[in-house]
């Protein structure tokens, strides 16, 4: 991370992180439905 | 134990500590000692953030929790990615641009000196209460493996961590944490592999998951059926997303042990990126450890296990008690062996069925196993007066008997370094807040050298405090829950005062500490008054408000009181 990251890229990173959090919950819900 | 395991146990922690202290030599002065010269890269800070939270409890207690209750503990971490995004856009830029040493320094600039002192004291009390748990968990392992008394084990671990934190400051903490985290990841992966390898040949990975699922060990997501469950049941999706969000906002945004990690980042961008490391890795890591516990449960369907994993302690108590208790223990062991054989047959029968499999017979035998284990636990409680279970002894019992040469040493070394990686950051932050927020403020004009010297003494004090309080921790029950309950009683209010400063521009001066007191009072009222009368849900007695909600109540309490107080300043 030698170059500063612009605010637009940070926004994309945040959206990706929130999407990752939601996908994790969806994946765990599927796992629960499949095995529990 | 093989000589190679002994070598790993001795060499790995020693190398981690030596290299950490060596790298810390370049960092001198106030910023060098407290914040590693604000020059650490994001991945190193990110690993240190994870290592601070991932203590030996993560390895031992969470695997034990997975054995006993399955994946439900995962709920606590579901809100972590969302909390990290909020923190990256709020407190991380505030703190790094303000160039503060502690989070509470920021509160003096926003409110007044009393608010800063109150927040710092609240942190010192909450972190001071939790710090002993970092030492207690690995002392179990030292006691089991080396047979040395837990008291000596606690003193040994506490002494080493305190020593290198005194000499190396925050830089030593971060550089040791990075390696400690790598060792932990390796140990978790190897343990998972060993648990699967130990299963009978006819039980594959899919069968093991099916057995764990049929035994109620794979419920990662639970949606509460009504409002009473949402508040009382500790593990449900709504409580996890709302309560957990506030828990992590408070922990990563207002607990100095975490704030001091990301303040060491090379720039605000490195600090932000370091928090996102946890956002992406924490849930998979916890999933791995909990799954390990669930697979150990499946493993013991086929392998011999004691009815109570704290066998040595129970047997000592039984021998001291007399003949009737010895006969009862003997009967329980025989009954458990017989029940275990019937369960192994039921488990094999379940695996050999065609889809859809019928879990009724397996569940019936699981229930019998649970009843005999409950009887053994009751016997232990009757003889010792202890309310402790044996959850923290499950993983040590497993790895001492099942892990191959080399891997056993790696796992034991990982438990030691995990304990140190969590303790060092806590000692470092306790010392920093004590000295920067309290000592240096009380003595204006004190030199940099005197502050660093005072911090080394403060680290020694907190190291001794942690060591002594570790003995008391043993009476708290399974540790992982105890730590989070204590934390939740403080974090909501602490974070709430930062939110008040952000959302309520009119709040100023003493509004800060009065609102903080209001939020803390609301949490205490909930814990000691509202939760004094347990309610019965699904045949279990539980407090009407689960601990994750304490974080929301504390934060809301601060905002309500703060806004009411700020109303006085309207029009001025």
């Amino acid at each position: 991370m030698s170059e500063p990251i612009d605010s637009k890229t940070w926004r994309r990173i945040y959206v990706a992180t929130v999407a990752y959090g939601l996908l994790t919950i969806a994946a765990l819900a599927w796992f629960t439905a499949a095995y529990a | 134990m093989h000589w190679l395991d002994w070598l790993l146990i001795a060499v790995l922690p020693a190398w981690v500590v030596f290299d950490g202290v060596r790298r810390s030599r370049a960092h001198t002065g106030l910023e060098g000692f407290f914040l590693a010269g604000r020059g650490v890269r994001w991945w190193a800070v990110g690993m240190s953030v994870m290592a601070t939270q991932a203590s030996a409890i993560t390895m031992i207690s969470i695997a034990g929790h997975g054995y006993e209750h399955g994946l439900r503990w995962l709920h606590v971490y579901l809100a972590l990615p969302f909390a990290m995004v909020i923190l990256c856009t709020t407190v991380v830029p505030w703190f790094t641009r303000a160039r503060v040493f502690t989070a509470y320094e920021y509160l003096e600039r926003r409110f007044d000196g009393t608010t800063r002192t109150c927040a710092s004291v609240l942190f010192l009390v909450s972190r001071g209460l939790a710090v002993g748990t970092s030492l207690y968990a690995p002392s179990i392992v030292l006691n089991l493996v080396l047979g040395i008394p837990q008291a000596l084990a606690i003193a040994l671990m506490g002494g080493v961590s305190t020593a290198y934190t005194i000499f190396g400051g925050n830089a030593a903490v971060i550089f040791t944490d990075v390696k400690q985290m790598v060792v932990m990841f390796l140990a978790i992966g190897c343990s998972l592999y060993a648990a699967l390898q130990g299963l009978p040949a006819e039980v594959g990975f899919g069968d093991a998951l099916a057995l764990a699922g049929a035994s109620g060990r794979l419920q990662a997501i639970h949606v509460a059926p009504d409002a009473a469950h949402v508040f009382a049941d500790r593990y449900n999706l709504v409580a996890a997303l709302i309560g957990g969000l506030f828990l992590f906002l408070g922990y990563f945004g207002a607990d100095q042990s975490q704030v001091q990690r990301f303040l060491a980042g090379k720039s605000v961008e490195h600090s932000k990126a370091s928090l996102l490391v946890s956002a992406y890795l924490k849930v998979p890591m916890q999933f791995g450890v909990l799954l390990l516990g669930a697979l150990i449960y499946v493993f013991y369907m086929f392998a011999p296990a004691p009815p109570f994993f704290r066998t040595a302690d129970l047997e000592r108590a039984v021998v001291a008690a007399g003949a009737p208790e010895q006969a009862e223990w003997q009967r329980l062991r025989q009954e458990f062996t017989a029940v275990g054989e019937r369960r192994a047959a039921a488990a094999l029968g379940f695996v050999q069925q065609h889809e859809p499999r019928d879990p009724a017979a397996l569940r019936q035998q699981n229930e019998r196993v649970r009843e005999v284990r409950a009887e053994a636990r009751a016997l232990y409680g009757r003889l010792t007066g202890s309310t402790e279970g044996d959850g923290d002894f499950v993983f040590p019992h497993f790895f001492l008997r099942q892990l191959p040469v080399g891997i056993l040493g790696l796992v034991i070394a990982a438990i030691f370094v995990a304990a140190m990686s969590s303790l060092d950051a806590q000692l470092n932050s306790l010392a920093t807040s004590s000295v920067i927020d309290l000592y240096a403020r009380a003595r204006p004009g004190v030199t940099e050298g005197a502050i660093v010297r005072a911090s080394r003494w403060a680290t020694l004090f907190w190291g001794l405090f942690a060591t002594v309080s570790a003995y008391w921790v043993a009476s708290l029950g399974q540790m992982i829950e105890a730590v989070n309950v204590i934390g939740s009683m403080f974090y909501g209010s602490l974070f709430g005062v930062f939110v008040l400063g952000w959302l309520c521009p009119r709040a100023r001066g003493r509004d800060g500490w009065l609102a903080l007191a209001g939020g803390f009072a609301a949490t205490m009222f909930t814990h000691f008054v509202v939760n004094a009368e347990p309610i019965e849900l699904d045949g279990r007695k539980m407090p009407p408000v689960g601990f994750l909600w304490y974080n929301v109540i504390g934060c809301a309490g601060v905002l309500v009181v703060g806004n009411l107080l700020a109303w006085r300043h309207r029009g001025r």
Side-chain angles (χ1 to χ4, degrees), chain B residues 246-271:
Chain B
F246 280 81
L247 169 69
F248 289 119
L249 289 175
Y251 178 56
F252 289 99
D255 185 309
Q256 180 64 17
S257 69
Q258 284 294 356
V259 171
Q260 202 163 345
R261 304 305 110 227
F262 68 71
L263 284 180
K266 217 173 169 183
S267 66
V268 65
E269 289 171 327
H270 281 265
S271 298

Short mmCIF file of all heavy atoms in Angstrom, two decimals, chain B residues 246-271:
data_model
loop_
_atom_site.label_atom_id
_atom_site.label_comp_id
_atom_site.label_asym_id
_atom_site.label_seq_id
_atom_site.Cartn_x
_atom_site.Cartn_y
_atom_site.Cartn_z
N PHE B 246 -22.86 -3.63 18.36
CA PHE B 246 -22.44 -2.69 19.40
C PHE B 246 -21.28 -3.24 20.22
O PHE B 246 -20.42 -2.48 20.66
CB PHE B 246 -23.64 -2.35 20.30
CG PHE B 246 -24.54 -1.31 19.68
CD1 PHE B 246 -25.49 -1.67 18.73
CD2 PHE B 246 -24.43 0.02 20.02
CE1 PHE B 246 -26.30 -0.72 18.13
CE2 PHE B 246 -25.24 0.98 19.43
CZ PHE B 246 -26.17 0.61 18.48
N LEU B 247 -21.26 -4.56 20.42
CA LEU B 247 -20.13 -5.17 21.15
C LEU B 247 -18.82 -4.86 20.43
O LEU B 247 -17.84 -4.42 21.03
CB LEU B 247 -20.32 -6.69 21.26
CG LEU B 247 -19.12 -7.50 21.75
CD1 LEU B 247 -18.84 -7.20 23.22
CD2 LEU B 247 -19.36 -9.00 21.58
N PHE B 248 -18.80 -5.05 19.10
CA PHE B 248 -17.56 -4.86 18.35
C PHE B 248 -17.24 -3.38 18.12
O PHE B 248 -16.06 -3.01 18.07
CB PHE B 248 -17.59 -5.63 17.03
CG PHE B 248 -17.49 -7.10 17.27
CD1 PHE B 248 -18.51 -7.96 16.89
CD2 PHE B 248 -16.39 -7.63 17.94
CE1 PHE B 248 -18.42 -9.32 17.16
CE2 PHE B 248 -16.30 -8.98 18.22
CZ PHE B 248 -17.32 -9.83 17.82
N LEU B 249 -18.28 -2.56 17.99
CA LEU B 249 -18.01 -1.11 17.90
C LEU B 249 -17.33 -0.66 19.18
O LEU B 249 -16.36 0.10 19.16
CB LEU B 249 -19.32 -0.34 17.68
CG LEU B 249 -19.98 -0.48 16.31
CD1 LEU B 249 -21.32 0.23 16.28
CD2 LEU B 249 -19.07 0.06 15.21
N GLY B 250 -17.83 -1.16 20.31
CA GLY B 250 -17.23 -0.80 21.60
C GLY B 250 -15.85 -1.41 21.78
O GLY B 250 -14.91 -0.72 22.21
N TYR B 251 -15.71 -2.67 21.41
CA TYR B 251 -14.43 -3.36 21.65
C TYR B 251 -13.31 -2.80 20.77
O TYR B 251 -12.23 -2.47 21.25
CB TYR B 251 -14.60 -4.86 21.41
CG TYR B 251 -13.33 -5.66 21.59
CD1 TYR B 251 -12.62 -5.60 22.78
CD2 TYR B 251 -12.83 -6.44 20.56
CE1 TYR B 251 -11.44 -6.31 22.94
CE2 TYR B 251 -11.66 -7.16 20.71
CZ TYR B 251 -10.97 -7.09 21.91
OH TYR B 251 -9.80 -7.79 22.06
N PHE B 252 -13.58 -2.67 19.46
CA PHE B 252 -12.53 -2.20 18.56
C PHE B 252 -12.43 -0.67 18.51
O PHE B 252 -11.41 -0.14 18.11
CB PHE B 252 -12.75 -2.73 17.14
CG PHE B 252 -12.50 -4.20 17.02
CD1 PHE B 252 -13.54 -5.11 17.04
CD2 PHE B 252 -11.21 -4.70 16.91
CE1 PHE B 252 -13.32 -6.48 16.94
CE2 PHE B 252 -10.97 -6.05 16.82
CZ PHE B 252 -12.02 -6.94 16.84
N GLY B 253 -13.50 0.01 18.94
CA GLY B 253 -13.49 1.46 18.83
C GLY B 253 -13.21 2.19 20.12
O GLY B 253 -12.83 3.37 20.10
N ALA B 254 -13.41 1.52 21.26
CA ALA B 254 -13.27 2.25 22.53
C ALA B 254 -12.45 1.48 23.56
O ALA B 254 -12.25 1.97 24.66
CB ALA B 254 -14.65 2.56 23.10
N ASP B 255 -11.99 0.29 23.23
CA ASP B 255 -11.14 -0.48 24.16
C ASP B 255 -9.69 -0.22 23.76
O ASP B 255 -9.27 -0.54 22.65
CB ASP B 255 -11.48 -1.98 24.07
CG ASP B 255 -10.72 -2.80 25.10
OD1 ASP B 255 -9.48 -2.65 25.18
OD2 ASP B 255 -11.35 -3.60 25.81
N GLN B 256 -8.92 0.35 24.68
CA GLN B 256 -7.56 0.77 24.36
C GLN B 256 -6.70 -0.39 23.88
O GLN B 256 -5.77 -0.20 23.08
CB GLN B 256 -6.94 1.45 25.59
CG GLN B 256 -5.51 1.93 25.42
CD GLN B 256 -5.38 3.04 24.38
OE1 GLN B 256 -6.36 3.66 24.00
NE2 GLN B 256 -4.17 3.28 23.91
N SER B 257 -6.98 -1.62 24.34
CA SER B 257 -6.15 -2.76 23.93
C SER B 257 -6.23 -2.97 22.41
O SER B 257 -5.29 -3.47 21.80
CB SER B 257 -6.56 -4.04 24.67
OG SER B 257 -7.82 -4.48 24.25
N GLN B 258 -7.35 -2.58 21.79
CA GLN B 258 -7.47 -2.68 20.34
C GLN B 258 -7.09 -1.36 19.66
O GLN B 258 -6.40 -1.35 18.65
CB GLN B 258 -8.90 -3.07 19.94
CG GLN B 258 -9.21 -4.54 20.16
CD GLN B 258 -8.40 -5.44 19.26
OE1 GLN B 258 -7.63 -5.00 18.41
NE2 GLN B 258 -8.53 -6.74 19.45
N VAL B 259 -7.54 -0.24 20.23
CA VAL B 259 -7.26 1.06 19.61
C VAL B 259 -5.75 1.26 19.46
O VAL B 259 -5.26 1.75 18.43
CB VAL B 259 -7.89 2.20 20.44
CG1 VAL B 259 -7.45 3.56 19.94
CG2 VAL B 259 -9.42 2.11 20.40
N GLN B 260 -5.00 0.82 20.48
CA GLN B 260 -3.54 1.02 20.44
C GLN B 260 -2.89 0.21 19.31
O GLN B 260 -1.81 0.58 18.84
CB GLN B 260 -2.94 0.62 21.79
CG GLN B 260 -1.59 1.26 22.02
CD GLN B 260 -1.19 1.21 23.49
OE1 GLN B 260 -2.02 0.96 24.35
NE2 GLN B 260 0.08 1.45 23.77
N ARG B 261 -3.55 -0.88 18.89
CA ARG B 261 -2.99 -1.64 17.75
C ARG B 261 -3.07 -0.77 16.49
O ARG B 261 -2.11 -0.56 15.81
CB ARG B 261 -3.76 -2.94 17.47
CG ARG B 261 -3.97 -3.98 18.53
CD ARG B 261 -2.76 -4.51 19.20
NE ARG B 261 -2.76 -4.01 20.55
CZ ARG B 261 -1.75 -3.47 21.19
NH1 ARG B 261 -0.60 -3.36 20.60
NH2 ARG B 261 -1.85 -3.04 22.42
N PHE B 262 -4.31 -0.30 16.17
CA PHE B 262 -4.42 0.38 14.87
C PHE B 262 -3.82 1.78 14.87
O PHE B 262 -3.52 2.33 13.81
CB PHE B 262 -5.85 0.34 14.31
CG PHE B 262 -6.92 1.13 15.02
CD1 PHE B 262 -6.95 2.51 14.97
CD2 PHE B 262 -7.95 0.48 15.69
CE1 PHE B 262 -7.95 3.23 15.58
CE2 PHE B 262 -8.96 1.19 16.33
CZ PHE B 262 -8.95 2.57 16.27
N LEU B 263 -3.61 2.35 16.07
CA LEU B 263 -2.92 3.65 16.11
C LEU B 263 -1.46 3.53 15.68
O LEU B 263 -0.82 4.52 15.35
CB LEU B 263 -3.00 4.24 17.52
CG LEU B 263 -4.33 4.86 17.94
CD1 LEU B 263 -4.25 5.39 19.36
CD2 LEU B 263 -4.77 5.96 16.99
N ALA B 264 -0.93 2.29 15.71
CA ALA B 264 0.46 2.08 15.31
C ALA B 264 0.61 2.01 13.79
O ALA B 264 1.73 1.90 13.28
CB ALA B 264 1.00 0.80 15.94
N GLY B 265 -0.50 2.08 13.05
CA GLY B 265 -0.45 1.99 11.59
C GLY B 265 0.35 3.13 10.96
O GLY B 265 0.40 4.23 11.50
N LYS B 266 0.95 2.83 9.82
CA LYS B 266 1.83 3.77 9.13
C LYS B 266 1.09 5.03 8.68
O LYS B 266 1.68 6.10 8.56
CB LYS B 266 2.38 3.04 7.90
CG LYS B 266 3.79 3.37 7.56
CD LYS B 266 4.23 2.45 6.45
CE LYS B 266 5.56 2.93 5.91
NZ LYS B 266 6.01 2.13 4.79
N SER B 267 -0.20 4.87 8.38
CA SER B 267 -1.04 5.99 7.96
C SER B 267 -2.47 5.61 8.28
O SER B 267 -2.74 4.48 8.68
CB SER B 267 -0.89 6.23 6.45
OG SER B 267 -1.43 5.12 5.76
N VAL B 268 -3.38 6.57 8.07
CA VAL B 268 -4.79 6.26 8.34
C VAL B 268 -5.27 5.09 7.47
O VAL B 268 -6.08 4.26 7.88
CB VAL B 268 -5.66 7.54 8.16
CG1 VAL B 268 -5.66 8.01 6.73
CG2 VAL B 268 -7.08 7.30 8.62
N GLU B 269 -4.71 4.99 6.26
CA GLU B 269 -5.11 3.91 5.36
C GLU B 269 -4.64 2.55 5.87
O GLU B 269 -5.36 1.55 5.79
CB GLU B 269 -4.57 4.18 3.97
CG GLU B 269 -5.33 5.34 3.34
CD GLU B 269 -4.72 5.80 2.05
OE1 GLU B 269 -3.48 5.71 1.93
OE2 GLU B 269 -5.47 6.25 1.19
N HIS B 270 -3.41 2.52 6.39
CA HIS B 270 -2.91 1.27 6.96
C HIS B 270 -3.74 0.88 8.19
O HIS B 270 -4.02 -0.30 8.40
CB HIS B 270 -1.43 1.42 7.35
CG HIS B 270 -0.50 1.32 6.17
ND1 HIS B 270 0.10 0.13 5.81
CD2 HIS B 270 -0.10 2.24 5.26
CE1 HIS B 270 0.85 0.34 4.73
NE2 HIS B 270 0.75 1.60 4.38
N SER B 271 -4.14 1.88 8.99
CA SER B 271 -4.95 1.60 10.18
C SER B 271 -6.30 1.02 9.77
O SER B 271 -6.78 0.05 10.35
CB SER B 271 -5.16 2.88 11.00
OG SER B 271 -3.92 3.37 11.45
#
